[in-house]
Amino acid sequence: MGEFTDKASAAGNKIAGNLKEAVGKATDNERLEAEGKAQQLKGTGQDVKGSVKGALGDKI
């Protein structure tokens, strides 16, 4: 995947994770809240990966 697709996936994971976390908090569901936090971290990792690919010109 290129820089753009990594960053797009990152944005999707961050949004979905944020929603899961909010619903988990609202419903007092610790498992869903934790899943949301984990998904946001995954999105952050994808964002970093996309930035590295952008800096290296998608050569990796």
Side-chain angles (χ1 to χ4, degrees):
M1 288 196 292
E3 175 186 7
F4 177 75
T5 52
D6 284 337
K7 289 191 174 266
S9 294
N13 275 317
K14 287 180 181 180
I15 291 168
N18 197 1
L19 287 172
K20 281 183 183 179
E21 183 180 0
V23 170
K25 283 182 181 179
T27 60
D28 201 29
N29 184 333
E30 292 178 5
R31 183 187 60 83
L32 188 59
E33 188 176 343
E35 283 180 16
K37 289 179 182 180
Q39 192 164 4
Q40 288 180 66
L41 285 173
K42 179 180 178 181
T44 300
Q46 288 172 319
D47 199 23
V48 170
K49 181 180 173 185
S51 295
V52 169
K53 282 185 178 181
L56 297 177
D58 290 336
K59 294 179 182 176
I60 58 171

